[in-house]
Short mmCIF file of all heavy atoms in Angstrom, two decimals:
data_model
loop_
_atom_site.label_atom_id
_atom_site.label_comp_id
_atom_site.label_asym_id
_atom_site.label_seq_id
_atom_site.Cartn_x
_atom_site.Cartn_y
_atom_site.Cartn_z
N MET A 46 -87.11 203.61 109.29
CA MET A 46 -86.83 202.75 108.15
C MET A 46 -87.82 203.06 107.03
O MET A 46 -89.05 203.06 107.29
CB MET A 46 -87.03 201.27 108.59
CG MET A 46 -86.89 200.27 107.49
SD MET A 46 -87.14 198.54 108.02
CE MET A 46 -85.51 198.28 108.75
N PRO A 47 -87.37 203.36 105.87
CA PRO A 47 -88.30 203.69 104.74
C PRO A 47 -89.12 202.52 104.31
O PRO A 47 -88.70 201.38 104.43
CB PRO A 47 -87.36 204.12 103.62
CG PRO A 47 -86.02 203.65 103.95
CD PRO A 47 -85.99 203.37 105.43
N ALA A 48 -90.30 202.76 103.86
CA ALA A 48 -91.22 201.74 103.39
C ALA A 48 -90.66 201.13 102.07
O ALA A 48 -90.11 201.84 101.30
CB ALA A 48 -92.61 202.32 103.14
N GLU A 49 -90.81 199.85 102.00
CA GLU A 49 -90.37 199.21 100.78
C GLU A 49 -91.32 199.51 99.66
O GLU A 49 -92.49 199.48 99.83
CB GLU A 49 -90.35 197.65 101.04
CG GLU A 49 -89.90 196.85 99.86
CD GLU A 49 -89.84 195.35 100.16
OE1 GLU A 49 -90.36 194.97 101.22
OE2 GLU A 49 -89.30 194.64 99.35
N PRO A 50 -90.83 199.82 98.45
CA PRO A 50 -91.75 200.09 97.37
C PRO A 50 -92.65 198.93 97.07
O PRO A 50 -92.18 197.75 97.08
CB PRO A 50 -90.79 200.34 96.18
CG PRO A 50 -89.48 200.65 96.75
CD PRO A 50 -89.47 199.94 98.08
N THR A 51 -93.86 199.18 96.83
CA THR A 51 -94.90 198.13 96.52
C THR A 51 -94.44 197.29 95.34
O THR A 51 -94.58 196.06 95.31
CB THR A 51 -96.26 198.75 96.19
OG1 THR A 51 -96.67 199.52 97.35
CG2 THR A 51 -97.25 197.73 95.94
N ARG A 52 -93.93 197.93 94.32
CA ARG A 52 -93.49 197.13 93.09
C ARG A 52 -92.44 196.11 93.44
O ARG A 52 -92.57 195.00 93.01
CB ARG A 52 -92.99 198.12 92.06
CG ARG A 52 -92.38 197.37 90.85
CD ARG A 52 -91.99 198.29 89.77
NE ARG A 52 -93.20 198.42 88.95
CZ ARG A 52 -93.26 199.18 87.88
NH1 ARG A 52 -92.19 199.98 87.56
NH2 ARG A 52 -94.31 199.27 87.19
N ALA A 53 -91.48 196.38 94.32
CA ALA A 53 -90.47 195.41 94.66
C ALA A 53 -91.13 194.28 95.40
O ALA A 53 -90.73 193.11 95.21
CB ALA A 53 -89.37 196.10 95.53
N ARG A 54 -92.00 194.52 96.35
CA ARG A 54 -92.70 193.41 96.99
C ARG A 54 -93.46 192.55 96.10
O ARG A 54 -93.48 191.32 96.18
CB ARG A 54 -93.61 193.98 98.11
CG ARG A 54 -92.89 194.53 99.34
CD ARG A 54 -93.86 194.75 100.47
NE ARG A 54 -95.07 195.37 100.14
CZ ARG A 54 -95.36 196.67 100.29
NH1 ARG A 54 -94.46 197.43 100.87
NH2 ARG A 54 -96.49 197.16 99.96
N CYS A 55 -94.19 193.18 95.15
CA CYS A 55 -95.00 192.44 94.21
C CYS A 55 -94.10 191.54 93.25
O CYS A 55 -94.49 190.42 92.95
CB CYS A 55 -95.81 193.31 93.34
SG CYS A 55 -97.20 194.04 94.25
N ASP A 56 -92.98 192.08 92.87
CA ASP A 56 -92.03 191.31 92.01
C ASP A 56 -91.56 190.07 92.68
O ASP A 56 -91.54 189.03 92.11
CB ASP A 56 -90.89 192.17 91.56
CG ASP A 56 -91.26 193.24 90.52
OD1 ASP A 56 -92.32 193.12 89.92
OD2 ASP A 56 -90.43 194.12 90.34
N ARG A 57 -91.21 190.17 93.95
CA ARG A 57 -90.74 188.96 94.73
C ARG A 57 -91.89 187.96 94.89
O ARG A 57 -91.73 186.82 94.71
CB ARG A 57 -90.15 189.40 96.07
CG ARG A 57 -88.75 189.84 95.95
CD ARG A 57 -88.02 189.81 97.32
NE ARG A 57 -88.68 190.71 98.30
CZ ARG A 57 -88.41 192.02 98.38
NH1 ARG A 57 -87.53 192.59 97.60
NH2 ARG A 57 -89.07 192.73 99.31
N LEU A 58 -93.02 188.52 95.17
CA LEU A 58 -94.21 187.64 95.32
C LEU A 58 -94.54 186.96 94.05
O LEU A 58 -94.79 185.72 93.96
CB LEU A 58 -95.46 188.40 95.82
CG LEU A 58 -96.74 187.68 95.95
CD1 LEU A 58 -96.54 186.59 97.01
CD2 LEU A 58 -97.85 188.61 96.36
N ARG A 59 -94.45 187.67 92.91
CA ARG A 59 -94.76 187.03 91.62
C ARG A 59 -93.79 185.90 91.29
O ARG A 59 -94.16 184.85 90.76
CB ARG A 59 -94.60 188.10 90.52
CG ARG A 59 -95.83 188.93 90.40
CD ARG A 59 -95.76 189.79 89.13
NE ARG A 59 -96.44 191.02 89.38
CZ ARG A 59 -95.94 192.24 89.28
NH1 ARG A 59 -94.67 192.42 88.90
NH2 ARG A 59 -96.68 193.23 89.60
N ILE A 60 -92.49 186.07 91.56
CA ILE A 60 -91.49 185.03 91.31
C ILE A 60 -91.79 183.84 92.18
O ILE A 60 -91.93 182.68 91.63
CB ILE A 60 -90.10 185.54 91.52
CG1 ILE A 60 -89.76 186.62 90.49
CG2 ILE A 60 -89.08 184.41 91.50
CD1 ILE A 60 -88.52 187.41 90.81
N ALA A 61 -91.97 183.96 93.42
CA ALA A 61 -92.25 182.83 94.26
C ALA A 61 -93.61 182.25 94.01
O ALA A 61 -93.78 181.01 93.97
CB ALA A 61 -92.19 183.31 95.75
N GLY A 62 -94.56 183.11 93.83
CA GLY A 62 -95.97 182.68 93.56
C GLY A 62 -96.08 181.90 92.22
O GLY A 62 -96.78 180.90 92.14
N ARG A 63 -95.43 182.34 91.22
CA ARG A 63 -95.48 181.70 89.96
C ARG A 63 -94.91 180.27 90.05
O ARG A 63 -95.43 179.37 89.49
CB ARG A 63 -94.73 182.51 88.88
CG ARG A 63 -94.86 181.86 87.54
CD ARG A 63 -94.19 182.73 86.47
NE ARG A 63 -94.34 182.02 85.18
CZ ARG A 63 -94.54 182.67 84.06
NH1 ARG A 63 -94.69 183.95 84.03
NH2 ARG A 63 -94.64 181.99 82.94
N SER A 64 -93.77 180.17 90.71
CA SER A 64 -93.13 178.88 90.90
C SER A 64 -94.08 177.93 91.64
O SER A 64 -94.26 176.80 91.24
CB SER A 64 -91.83 178.99 91.68
OG SER A 64 -90.90 179.70 90.92
N ALA A 65 -94.70 178.41 92.65
CA ALA A 65 -95.66 177.59 93.49
C ALA A 65 -96.84 177.18 92.65
O ALA A 65 -97.31 176.07 92.71
CB ALA A 65 -96.04 178.33 94.75
N MET A 66 -97.40 178.09 91.86
CA MET A 66 -98.55 177.87 91.07
C MET A 66 -98.19 176.83 89.96
O MET A 66 -99.00 175.90 89.72
CB MET A 66 -99.10 179.10 90.41
CG MET A 66 -99.84 179.96 91.39
SD MET A 66 -100.48 181.53 90.74
CE MET A 66 -100.86 181.19 89.04
N GLU A 67 -97.09 176.96 89.33
CA GLU A 67 -96.69 176.02 88.30
C GLU A 67 -96.61 174.60 88.86
O GLU A 67 -96.93 173.60 88.26
CB GLU A 67 -95.43 176.45 87.63
CG GLU A 67 -95.62 177.69 86.71
CD GLU A 67 -94.32 178.24 86.15
OE1 GLU A 67 -93.19 177.80 86.62
OE2 GLU A 67 -94.41 179.09 85.31
N ALA A 68 -96.01 174.52 90.09
CA ALA A 68 -95.82 173.19 90.73
C ALA A 68 -97.17 172.57 91.03
O ALA A 68 -97.29 171.38 91.04
CB ALA A 68 -94.93 173.38 91.98
N ALA A 69 -98.12 173.39 91.39
CA ALA A 69 -99.43 172.85 91.90
C ALA A 69 -100.52 172.76 90.83
O ALA A 69 -101.53 172.14 91.00
CB ALA A 69 -99.97 173.74 92.97
N ALA A 70 -100.35 173.38 89.67
CA ALA A 70 -101.37 173.55 88.64
C ALA A 70 -101.98 172.27 88.13
O ALA A 70 -103.20 172.08 88.15
CB ALA A 70 -100.83 174.34 87.47
N GLN A 71 -101.14 171.27 87.72
CA GLN A 71 -101.70 170.03 87.15
C GLN A 71 -102.52 169.27 88.20
O GLN A 71 -103.63 168.79 87.91
CB GLN A 71 -100.58 169.17 86.63
CG GLN A 71 -101.09 167.90 85.96
CD GLN A 71 -101.99 168.17 84.76
OE1 GLN A 71 -101.71 169.10 84.01
NE2 GLN A 71 -102.97 167.43 84.52
N GLN A 72 -102.01 169.15 89.43
CA GLN A 72 -102.76 168.45 90.46
C GLN A 72 -104.07 169.22 90.80
O GLN A 72 -105.12 168.57 91.01
CB GLN A 72 -101.94 168.30 91.75
CG GLN A 72 -102.56 167.45 92.77
CD GLN A 72 -102.85 166.04 92.37
OE1 GLN A 72 -101.91 165.40 91.87
NE2 GLN A 72 -104.07 165.56 92.45
N HIS A 73 -104.07 170.53 90.80
CA HIS A 73 -105.21 171.30 91.08
C HIS A 73 -106.34 171.03 90.01
O HIS A 73 -107.46 170.76 90.34
CB HIS A 73 -104.90 172.79 91.09
CG HIS A 73 -106.11 173.67 91.19
ND1 HIS A 73 -106.83 173.83 92.34
CD2 HIS A 73 -106.71 174.46 90.30
CE1 HIS A 73 -107.83 174.64 92.13
NE2 HIS A 73 -107.82 175.03 90.95
N VAL A 74 -105.94 171.01 88.72
CA VAL A 74 -106.89 170.75 87.65
C VAL A 74 -107.49 169.36 87.84
O VAL A 74 -108.71 169.19 87.74
CB VAL A 74 -106.18 170.91 86.29
CG1 VAL A 74 -107.09 170.43 85.18
CG2 VAL A 74 -105.83 172.38 86.06
N GLU A 75 -106.68 168.43 88.06
CA GLU A 75 -107.15 167.04 88.30
C GLU A 75 -108.10 166.96 89.50
O GLU A 75 -109.12 166.29 89.37
CB GLU A 75 -105.98 166.13 88.51
CG GLU A 75 -105.13 165.89 87.22
CD GLU A 75 -103.81 165.11 87.44
OE1 GLU A 75 -103.69 164.55 88.53
OE2 GLU A 75 -103.04 165.05 86.52
N ASP A 76 -107.75 167.61 90.57
CA ASP A 76 -108.57 167.61 91.82
C ASP A 76 -109.95 168.22 91.51
O ASP A 76 -110.99 167.76 91.98
CB ASP A 76 -107.90 168.29 92.95
CG ASP A 76 -106.77 167.41 93.49
OD1 ASP A 76 -106.66 166.23 93.18
OD2 ASP A 76 -105.93 167.98 94.28
N VAL A 77 -109.96 169.38 90.86
CA VAL A 77 -111.21 170.09 90.57
C VAL A 77 -112.13 169.23 89.75
O VAL A 77 -113.30 169.06 90.02
CB VAL A 77 -110.95 171.51 89.91
CG1 VAL A 77 -112.27 172.04 89.37
CG2 VAL A 77 -110.31 172.39 90.88
N ARG A 78 -111.54 168.58 88.70
CA ARG A 78 -112.36 167.70 87.86
C ARG A 78 -112.86 166.51 88.68
O ARG A 78 -114.07 166.23 88.68
CB ARG A 78 -111.53 167.23 86.71
CG ARG A 78 -112.33 166.32 85.79
CD ARG A 78 -111.61 165.95 84.54
NE ARG A 78 -111.28 167.07 83.75
CZ ARG A 78 -112.17 167.73 82.93
NH1 ARG A 78 -113.45 167.27 82.83
NH2 ARG A 78 -111.80 168.76 82.24
N ARG A 79 -112.01 165.84 89.43
CA ARG A 79 -112.41 164.60 90.12
C ARG A 79 -113.37 164.93 91.28
O ARG A 79 -114.34 164.23 91.51
CB ARG A 79 -111.15 164.00 90.69
CG ARG A 79 -111.33 162.73 91.51
CD ARG A 79 -110.06 162.09 92.00
NE ARG A 79 -109.14 163.03 92.67
CZ ARG A 79 -109.19 163.28 93.95
NH1 ARG A 79 -110.09 162.73 94.72
NH2 ARG A 79 -108.35 164.11 94.54
N LEU A 80 -113.10 165.97 92.01
CA LEU A 80 -113.95 166.27 93.23
C LEU A 80 -115.19 167.10 92.96
O LEU A 80 -116.09 167.14 93.71
CB LEU A 80 -113.04 166.98 94.26
CG LEU A 80 -111.91 166.11 94.77
CD1 LEU A 80 -111.01 167.00 95.63
CD2 LEU A 80 -112.41 164.90 95.59
N PHE A 81 -115.17 167.78 91.80
CA PHE A 81 -116.32 168.73 91.52
C PHE A 81 -116.99 168.51 90.23
O PHE A 81 -118.14 168.09 90.19
CB PHE A 81 -115.71 170.15 91.62
CG PHE A 81 -116.69 171.25 91.49
CD1 PHE A 81 -117.64 171.47 92.52
CD2 PHE A 81 -116.71 172.08 90.37
CE1 PHE A 81 -118.60 172.50 92.39
CE2 PHE A 81 -117.64 173.13 90.28
CZ PHE A 81 -118.58 173.31 91.28
N LEU A 82 -116.28 168.70 89.14
CA LEU A 82 -116.92 168.66 87.84
C LEU A 82 -117.46 167.23 87.43
O LEU A 82 -118.48 167.14 86.83
CB LEU A 82 -116.00 169.15 86.75
CG LEU A 82 -115.67 170.59 86.84
CD1 LEU A 82 -114.63 171.02 85.84
CD2 LEU A 82 -116.86 171.56 86.76
N ASP A 83 -116.77 166.21 87.86
CA ASP A 83 -117.17 164.87 87.48
C ASP A 83 -118.52 164.45 88.06
O ASP A 83 -119.16 163.57 87.70
CB ASP A 83 -116.15 163.78 87.86
CG ASP A 83 -114.90 163.83 86.94
OD1 ASP A 83 -114.93 164.51 85.91
OD2 ASP A 83 -113.92 163.16 87.29
N HIS A 84 -118.98 165.22 89.06
CA HIS A 84 -120.21 164.91 89.75
C HIS A 84 -121.40 165.77 89.22
O HIS A 84 -122.50 165.68 89.79
CB HIS A 84 -120.04 165.15 91.30
CG HIS A 84 -118.95 164.37 91.84
ND1 HIS A 84 -119.11 162.99 92.11
CD2 HIS A 84 -117.69 164.65 92.13
CE1 HIS A 84 -117.96 162.54 92.60
NE2 HIS A 84 -117.04 163.48 92.60
N LEU A 85 -121.18 166.58 88.19
CA LEU A 85 -122.19 167.42 87.67
C LEU A 85 -122.66 166.90 86.31
O LEU A 85 -121.82 166.49 85.49
CB LEU A 85 -121.69 168.88 87.52
CG LEU A 85 -121.31 169.60 88.78
CD1 LEU A 85 -120.72 171.00 88.51
CD2 LEU A 85 -122.44 169.64 89.80
N SER A 86 -123.94 166.98 86.01
CA SER A 86 -124.46 166.58 84.72
C SER A 86 -124.07 167.68 83.77
O SER A 86 -123.75 168.83 84.19
CB SER A 86 -125.97 166.48 84.85
OG SER A 86 -126.53 167.74 85.04
N PRO A 87 -124.14 167.41 82.45
CA PRO A 87 -123.85 168.49 81.47
C PRO A 87 -124.77 169.70 81.63
O PRO A 87 -124.29 170.85 81.50
CB PRO A 87 -124.14 167.80 80.13
CG PRO A 87 -123.78 166.33 80.42
CD PRO A 87 -124.31 166.07 81.81
N GLY A 88 -126.03 169.43 82.03
CA GLY A 88 -126.93 170.58 82.23
C GLY A 88 -126.47 171.46 83.39
O GLY A 88 -126.57 172.67 83.37
N ARG A 89 -126.00 170.82 84.45
CA ARG A 89 -125.56 171.63 85.63
C ARG A 89 -124.26 172.33 85.33
O ARG A 89 -124.09 173.44 85.84
CB ARG A 89 -125.35 170.69 86.85
CG ARG A 89 -126.73 170.12 87.27
CD ARG A 89 -126.81 170.08 88.73
NE ARG A 89 -128.13 169.70 89.07
CZ ARG A 89 -128.61 169.76 90.29
NH1 ARG A 89 -127.88 170.17 91.20
NH2 ARG A 89 -129.84 169.39 90.53
N ILE A 90 -123.43 171.78 84.52
CA ILE A 90 -122.21 172.46 84.11
C ILE A 90 -122.54 173.72 83.32
O ILE A 90 -121.96 174.77 83.49
CB ILE A 90 -121.23 171.58 83.40
CG1 ILE A 90 -120.67 170.47 84.35
CG2 ILE A 90 -120.11 172.33 82.69
CD1 ILE A 90 -119.83 169.42 83.72
N THR A 91 -123.55 173.57 82.43
CA THR A 91 -124.05 174.73 81.65
C THR A 91 -124.60 175.79 82.61
O THR A 91 -124.26 176.99 82.44
CB THR A 91 -125.10 174.25 80.61
OG1 THR A 91 -124.50 173.32 79.72
CG2 THR A 91 -125.68 175.45 79.92
N LEU A 92 -125.36 175.42 83.62
CA LEU A 92 -125.94 176.30 84.58
C LEU A 92 -124.82 177.01 85.36
O LEU A 92 -124.84 178.24 85.58
CB LEU A 92 -126.90 175.57 85.49
CG LEU A 92 -127.51 176.40 86.64
CD1 LEU A 92 -128.32 177.63 86.00
CD2 LEU A 92 -128.37 175.52 87.49
N LEU A 93 -123.80 176.20 85.74
CA LEU A 93 -122.68 176.83 86.46
C LEU A 93 -121.95 177.89 85.63
O LEU A 93 -121.59 178.91 86.13
CB LEU A 93 -121.73 175.68 86.88
CG LEU A 93 -120.38 176.15 87.56
CD1 LEU A 93 -120.71 176.85 88.90
CD2 LEU A 93 -119.51 174.93 87.84
N ALA A 94 -121.77 177.62 84.34
CA ALA A 94 -121.16 178.57 83.44
C ALA A 94 -122.00 179.83 83.35
O ALA A 94 -121.46 180.92 83.33
CB ALA A 94 -121.01 177.91 82.05
N GLU A 95 -123.33 179.69 83.24
CA GLU A 95 -124.19 180.85 83.15
C GLU A 95 -124.08 181.71 84.38
O GLU A 95 -124.07 182.90 84.36
CB GLU A 95 -125.61 180.42 82.90
CG GLU A 95 -125.79 179.80 81.50
CD GLU A 95 -127.20 179.20 81.32
OE1 GLU A 95 -127.98 179.13 82.28
OE2 GLU A 95 -127.47 178.65 80.22
N VAL A 96 -124.13 181.02 85.58
CA VAL A 96 -124.03 181.76 86.83
C VAL A 96 -122.73 182.46 86.96
O VAL A 96 -122.59 183.63 87.34
CB VAL A 96 -124.25 180.80 88.03
CG1 VAL A 96 -123.86 181.44 89.33
CG2 VAL A 96 -125.69 180.30 88.08
N THR A 97 -121.61 181.77 86.55
CA THR A 97 -120.30 182.33 86.63
C THR A 97 -120.22 183.60 85.70
O THR A 97 -119.64 184.61 86.08
CB THR A 97 -119.25 181.28 86.19
OG1 THR A 97 -119.33 180.19 87.16
CG2 THR A 97 -117.84 181.87 86.22
N ASP A 98 -120.78 183.49 84.47
CA ASP A 98 -120.77 184.62 83.57
C ASP A 98 -121.48 185.82 84.21
O ASP A 98 -121.02 186.93 84.04
CB ASP A 98 -121.39 184.21 82.26
CG ASP A 98 -120.56 183.33 81.40
OD1 ASP A 98 -119.34 183.15 81.69
OD2 ASP A 98 -121.13 182.71 80.50
N THR A 99 -122.62 185.53 84.82
CA THR A 99 -123.37 186.63 85.46
C THR A 99 -122.53 187.29 86.61
O THR A 99 -122.48 188.52 86.65
CB THR A 99 -124.73 186.11 86.07
OG1 THR A 99 -125.48 185.50 85.02
CG2 THR A 99 -125.55 187.17 86.78
N VAL A 100 -121.94 186.51 87.43
CA VAL A 100 -121.11 187.04 88.48
C VAL A 100 -119.96 187.83 87.98
O VAL A 100 -119.65 189.00 88.42
CB VAL A 100 -120.64 185.95 89.48
CG1 VAL A 100 -119.65 186.48 90.48
CG2 VAL A 100 -121.84 185.29 90.16
N LEU A 101 -119.26 187.29 86.95
CA LEU A 101 -118.08 187.96 86.37
C LEU A 101 -118.51 189.33 85.72
O LEU A 101 -117.82 190.33 85.81
CB LEU A 101 -117.36 187.11 85.39
CG LEU A 101 -116.62 185.92 86.05
CD1 LEU A 101 -116.04 185.00 84.95
CD2 LEU A 101 -115.56 186.41 86.99
N ALA A 102 -119.64 189.31 85.09
CA ALA A 102 -120.16 190.55 84.46
C ALA A 102 -120.44 191.58 85.54
O ALA A 102 -120.10 192.79 85.33
CB ALA A 102 -121.45 190.27 83.63
N LYS A 103 -120.96 191.18 86.65
CA LYS A 103 -121.26 192.14 87.75
C LYS A 103 -119.97 192.61 88.35
O LYS A 103 -119.85 193.83 88.59
CB LYS A 103 -122.15 191.44 88.82
CG LYS A 103 -122.37 192.24 90.03
CD LYS A 103 -123.17 193.51 89.73
CE LYS A 103 -123.45 194.26 91.02
NZ LYS A 103 -123.67 195.70 90.75
N ILE A 104 -119.00 191.76 88.57
CA ILE A 104 -117.74 192.16 89.05
C ILE A 104 -117.07 193.19 88.14
O ILE A 104 -116.53 194.20 88.54
CB ILE A 104 -116.80 190.97 89.26
CG1 ILE A 104 -117.31 190.15 90.43
CG2 ILE A 104 -115.34 191.42 89.57
CD1 ILE A 104 -116.58 188.80 90.57
N GLY A 105 -117.17 192.96 86.84
CA GLY A 105 -116.61 193.86 85.92
C GLY A 105 -117.23 195.26 85.90
O GLY A 105 -116.55 196.17 85.66
N THR A 106 -118.48 195.35 86.26
CA THR A 106 -119.10 196.69 86.33
C THR A 106 -118.82 197.40 87.64
O THR A 106 -118.97 198.61 87.74
CB THR A 106 -120.64 196.57 86.18
OG1 THR A 106 -121.20 195.79 87.19
CG2 THR A 106 -121.00 195.96 84.85
N ASP A 107 -118.34 196.61 88.63
CA ASP A 107 -118.02 197.29 89.99
C ASP A 107 -116.61 197.87 90.04
O ASP A 107 -116.27 198.45 91.02
CB ASP A 107 -118.22 196.25 91.05
CG ASP A 107 -119.67 195.95 91.34
OD1 ASP A 107 -120.56 196.70 90.83
OD2 ASP A 107 -120.01 194.94 92.00
N ARG A 108 -115.82 197.65 89.02
CA ARG A 108 -114.44 198.14 89.13
C ARG A 108 -114.29 199.47 88.51
O ARG A 108 -114.90 200.03 87.71
CB ARG A 108 -113.54 197.16 88.39
CG ARG A 108 -113.46 195.91 89.20
CD ARG A 108 -112.53 194.94 88.56
NE ARG A 108 -112.51 193.70 89.38
CZ ARG A 108 -111.57 192.96 89.54
NH1 ARG A 108 -110.42 193.20 88.94
NH2 ARG A 108 -111.60 191.87 90.27
#
């Protein structure tokens, strides 16, 4: 049996995945805010943003 082209598998995943993400997105945003961000002071949110920027910059140089 020939291997299925990667592009065809990704297209099907994208269609199903996009539908699932759209259905879950609003609840996810509300949950992140309620369970995580609402418990951080403005200073800690700033620190989190700085740490995130550092990690993302490092990831960008590893690709």
Side-chain angles (χ1 to χ4, degrees):
M46 176 182 280
E49 182 178 9
T51 302
R52 174 175 269 178
R54 285 195 315 260
C55 288
D56 287 344
R57 279 198 298 276
L58 179 61
R59 280 191 212 122
I60 292 167
R63 182 178 181 141
S64 295
M66 283 178 33
E67 287 173 352
Q71 184 62 37
Q72 185 63 52
H73 173 73
V74 169
E75 291 171 10
D76 288 346
V77 168
R78 180 172 299 280
R79 179 177 52 86
L80 297 170
F81 185 67
L82 294 175
D83 286 351
H84 302 283
L85 298 177
S86 67
R89 294 220 174 191
I90 291 173
T91 299
L92 179 59
L93 177 62
E95 291 170 0
V96 169
T97 301
D98 288 345
T99 300
V100 170
L101 291 175
K103 176 62 178 155
I104 290 171
T106 62
D107 287 346
R108 289 182 183 212

